[in-house]
Amino acid sequence: MARPPIILTNTLLFSLSGIVALIVVPWYGMSHGYDLWQWASFLLLFCLSGLSITAGYHRLWSHKAYKAHPALQWLFAIGGALALQNSALHWSADHRRHHRHVDDNEKDPYSAGRGFWYSHIGWMLREHQGDRYGDYSNVRDLQNNTVVAFQHRHYLVLVLATNLGLPLLLGLWHGDLLGMLLLVGVLRMVMTHHTTFFINSLAHIWGSQPYTDRNTARDNGILAFFTFGEGYHNFHHLFENDYRNGIHWWQFDPTKWLIRLASWCGLAGDLRSSPEELIEQARLQMQLKRAQAKLRKQEDRELWQALLQEEYDKLSQQLQHYYASRKRLLELRKRKALARYDRLKLQLEYRALRDGFIAGKRNWSRLLAGIA
């Protein structure tokens, strides 16, 4: 079967920019040097382009995880053009298709099942998508968005203005035109490309699967550090409409922090987050599945299996009761519908269920450790 035709524009862009970033940028740095102002400009535009993809293209427009003020949307539209990863409309169409058909080698635009190279960059170098290219039937909601529609219509102009115009202006202001073009123009663009592409490739190969193994997505804190929090990809593929990827306070997710800060400033609202009980249940189910797989190698597996299932059922019930009590208490507190005696009674019930759930988790952890 004949190979799909090469997309010459993409191939030249990625090849030439990669060569310049690997050879010319270091050469110029060693021969002329880059100063603090140039590195600060590089970092600022790298963050603008990267966060425009993660907070704008990805969590806002692809997954509708929150709502954003038009001013913030315009910033993301400009920053997205600076990132040079196609328009928000096109990017979102591909990404929604990826989630709907994840790991399907025929329907997933960048299926990890076709290997690292394909999912990282190969899918953009040839006409693999056929008739799907330019199919925006799954993003009709975005076609009605003024900002997204404008950016899509004028994408090329915005790309030239941001990727060429901004480095030129900064270079003229600074006095080192070539150095700024190399650092802020080329190196920033290449790093923005590949940090984003790592989510399509490495985040489906390298890391853990604490929430689901129904697809290849992985959680990886190292990738999260370089991708503005997108590395918690296993969580994201199960809870894709959550505005967070890193759900714990200690997980590095600056995209989540930016969205939350925007909400405090009145620039974002309706932040969507997954119910904690569903997250806990998903994690518990994965722990049970892995423990059952280990039991297949043990001689007394039937006894362990019965014990494991009993403890799992008990903990699942405790989880449901605890979160139901917590939800009921929070709702009644908001409505201020409880007399003092009833409120105290409900608080005592909630604390007992919480303590029971915590004790159940300890017992579950000890049981899993015994199986290991």
Side-chain angles (χ1 to χ4, degrees):
M1 185 175 67
R3 299 181 70 183
I6 289 175
I7 304 175
L8 188 59
T9 304
N10 290 1
T11 303
L12 287 174
L13 172 68
F14 293 135
S15 300
L16 294 177
S17 63
I19 290 170
V20 172
L22 288 172
I23 298 174
V24 183
V25 171
W27 167 80
Y28 191 86
M30 289 185 289
S31 59
H32 295 80
Y34 301 110
D35 62 22
L36 185 60
W37 168 249
Q38 289 171 309
W39 282 114
S41 301
F42 163 83
L43 182 62
L44 177 64
L45 293 190
F46 175 71
C47 290
L48 172 62
S49 54
L51 286 167
S52 294
I53 295 297
T54 61
Y57 278 34
H58 189 207
R59 302 190 199 185
L60 174 62
W61 288 317
S62 293
H63 293 294
K64 303 167 78 171
Y66 67 103
K67 293 179 180 177
H69 189 278
L72 191 58
Q73 293 192 48
W74 281 112
L75 180 65
F76 289 155
I78 295 168
L82 177 65
L84 197 58
Q85 296 180 27
N86 223 314
S87 70
L89 185 73
H90 188 100
W91 199 101
S92 299
D94 279 341
H95 193 72
R96 288 182 182 181
R97 198 171 291 117
H98 165 67
H99 271 266
R100 185 173 183 180
H101 305 290
V102 60
D103 298 332
D104 184 325
N105 289 350
E106 297 300 321
K107 297 180 180 179
D108 182 351
Y110 32 88
S111 173
R114 299 183 69 168
F116 172 84
W117 173 256
Y118 180 86
S119 60
H120 186 76
I121 198 172
W123 68 283
M124 293 178 285
L125 301 181
R126 291 182 178 273
E127 296 281 2
H128 294 284
Q129 299 185 63
D131 294 337
R132 291 199 301 269
Y133 196 90
D135 176 9
Y136 302 130
S137 59
N138 63 344
V139 285
R140 290 195 177 96
D141 57 312
L142 298 182
Q143 289 178 309
N144 296 322
N145 181 299
T146 303
V147 178
V148 173
F150 178 89
Q151 192 225 35
H152 185 70
R153 288 196 307 271
H154 305 286
Y155 181 69
L156 181 58
V157 174
L158 291 172
V159 163
L160 292 174
T162 52
N163 284 276
L164 189 59
L166 276 178
L168 281 173
L169 286 174
L170 289 169
L172 290 171
W173 185 17
H174 175 264
D176 183 0
L177 187 61
L178 182 57
M180 198 67 80
L181 281 170
L182 289 173
L183 200 65
V184 178
V186 180
L187 183 65
R188 186 269 321 155
M189 179 185 67
V190 170
M191 288 191 63
T192 301
H193 280 165
H194 290 283
T195 50
T196 302
F197 302 165
F198 278 147
I199 299 304
N200 300 338
S201 55
L202 275 182
H204 283 264
I205 297 171
W206 177 31
S208 61
Q209 293 185 301
Y211 302 101
T212 181
D213 61 355
R214 294 196 294 270
N215 56 68
T216 57
R218 304 292 204 271
D219 274 7
N220 190 306
I222 297 175
L223 285 179
F225 181 79
F226 292 102
T227 59
F228 301 98
E230 299 288 274
Y232 303 107
H233 207 51
N234 187 253
F235 173 85
H236 172 65
H237 262 274
L238 189 59
F239 302 103
E240 63 183 68
N241 300 123
D242 199 311
Y243 83 97
R244 311 161 299 171
N245 274 13
I247 58 172
H248 301 294
W249 67 266
W250 45 267
Q251 289 180 316
F252 187 79
D253 188 357
T255 303
K256 170 188 68 179
W257 302 332
L258 173 65
I259 295 169
R260 193 175 293 164
L261 176 62
S263 72
W264 295 341
C265 298
L267 294 173
D270 295 342
L271 277 60
R272 300 170 68 182
S273 56
S274 305
E276 290 184 46
E277 59 269 29
L278 296 183
I279 298 173
E280 285 280 359
Q281 190 68 53
R283 186 187 290 113
L284 185 59
Q285 287 174 348
M286 279 301 297
Q287 290 172 343
L288 173 66
K289 189 171 185 178
R290 289 201 172 95
Q292 288 174 330
K294 291 178 181 178
L295 286 178
R296 298 192 189 107
K297 303 175 184 178
Q298 298 191 15
E299 294 181 1
D300 52 351
R301 60 181 177 275
E302 291 184 5
L303 177 62
W304 276 101
Q305 177 66 43
L307 183 60
L308 187 68
Q309 191 64 50
E310 180 184 355
E311 199 64 35
Y312 171 81
D313 292 340
K314 180 181 176 182
L315 185 56
S316 293
Q317 191 175 49
Q318 289 175 319
L319 183 151
Q320 292 170 10
H321 290 164
Y322 162 61
Y323 279 105
S325 174
R326 181 184 179 185
K327 184 178 180 180
R328 185 166 63 252
L329 181 61
L330 290 173
E331 288 176 348
L332 291 174
R333 276 179 177 173
K334 288 179 182 178
R335 286 158 43 193
K336 298 181 180 179
L338 282 177
R340 183 176 180 181
Y341 172 78
D342 293 330
R343 184 168 65 250
L344 179 60
K345 182 179 178 182
L346 191 56
Q347 286 174 340
L348 290 173
E349 176 190 332
Y350 161 74
R351 288 171 184 169
L353 289 169
R354 179 195 62 191
D355 293 343
F357 177 55
I358 292 172
K361 288 177 72 174
R362 290 198 196 101
N363 292 336
W364 176 252
S365 297
R366 283 195 289 267
L367 179 60
L368 293 179
I371 293 172

